Amino acid sequence: MGRLQYWTKALPILADAFGGDSTYSNVSPATRSTVDGFVGIYGVHLYCSMRLQKQTLSANVWIDAEDKEKNKQIFDAMYRRKEQVEAAIPHPVKWNRRDDKRSSTINVELENVVFSDTNLWDEQFKFLADTCVALKNELIDPCADEIREICSK
């Protein structure tokens, strides 16, 4: 199983989940372990990650507006929606403010993933699609104006 083959099959499903012409519609498959979607907000990235060795698949929000203080303000704005986000996602959400680092992350991970069995891919793609859509709809979009305000200062 190659990453290119995996992302080639996953990306159309991700694009369709967002309604076609949006977050993942202009993303090309690659051999990397991650694919990044476009959310239209500076400093906020929605990406999918596969870790073959750890056997994990995750949907993630990465916050890095290139300024540690702004990043933590963005994280805090998003964290205020913790209850709504966790109610919309049926998997544990990891909130990583990472005060010792410039960036912050929010991760939803599926463990014990068998990437070599292509019969299981549809279920994995559904996890990525459903989770990314929920992160965008319940977390990123509701915080968009506040994030833009933070970044404009």
Side-chain angles (χ1 to χ4, degrees), residues 4 57 67-68 77 88 90 95 102 111 118 141 145 149 151-152:
L4 182 62
L57 187 64
D67 179 287
K68 184 177 179 179
W95 300 84
R102 184 175 82 182
E111 297 178 332
T118 57
D141 289 350
D145 290 341
E149 178 69 24
C151 289
S152 71

Side-chain angles (χ1 to χ4, degrees), residues 58-137:
S58 61
N60 313 275
V61 175
W62 178 49
I63 302 163
D64 190 358
E66 300 180 11
D67 179 287
K68 184 177 179 179
E69 184 178 322
K70 287 181 182 181
N71 294 337
K72 301 315 168 195
Q73 290 175 13
I74 293 168
F75 178 89
D76 293 344
M78 289 181 164
Y79 190 79
R80 287 191 285 275
R81 293 197 47 82
K82 182 179 188 286
E83 286 184 32
Q84 295 92 325
V85 171
E86 291 180 352
I89 299 174
H91 302 279
V93 180
K94 297 176 184 171
W95 300 84
N96 307 300
R97 193 171 194 272
R98 300 174 12 147
D99 289 326
D100 59 327
K101 306 279 186 193
R102 184 175 82 182
S103 65
S104 295
T105 62
I106 299 152
N107 315 93
V108 183
E109 193 171 81
L110 194 60
E111 297 178 332
N112 302 313
V113 176
V114 180
F115 293 106
S116 59
D117 186 347
T118 57
N119 293 320
L120 301 175
W121 284 9
D122 286 342
E123 181 182 327
Q124 295 166 19
F125 301 155
K126 182 174 178 5
F127 161 78
L128 288 174
D130 292 350
T131 306
C132 285
V133 166
L135 286 169
K136 187 166 187 305
N137 291 347

Side-chain angles (χ1 to χ4, degrees), residues 1-10 30-34 49-57 113-122 124-125 128:
M1 187 286 309
R3 290 182 184 132
L4 182 62
Q5 181 185 9
Y6 190 86
W7 293 129
T8 298
K9 296 209 181 269
T31 58
R32 297 184 321 270
S33 62
T34 62
S49 176
M50 62 186 302
R51 292 183 182 90
L52 298 176
Q53 302 250 335
K54 292 185 177 183
Q55 296 180 307
T56 61
L57 187 64
V113 176
V114 180
F115 293 106
S116 59
D117 186 347
T118 57
N119 293 320
L120 301 175
W121 284 9
D122 286 342
Q124 295 166 19
F125 301 155
L128 288 174

Side-chain angles (χ1 to χ4, degrees), residues 6-43:
Y6 190 86
W7 293 129
T8 298
K9 296 209 181 269
L11 282 167
I13 294 166
L14 287 166
D16 286 348
F18 283 95
D21 189 26
S22 65
T23 304
Y24 282 93
S25 59
N26 291 316
V27 178
S28 298
T31 58
R32 297 184 321 270
S33 62
T34 62
V35 291
D36 299 313
F38 177 74
V39 296
I41 303 171
Y42 175 75

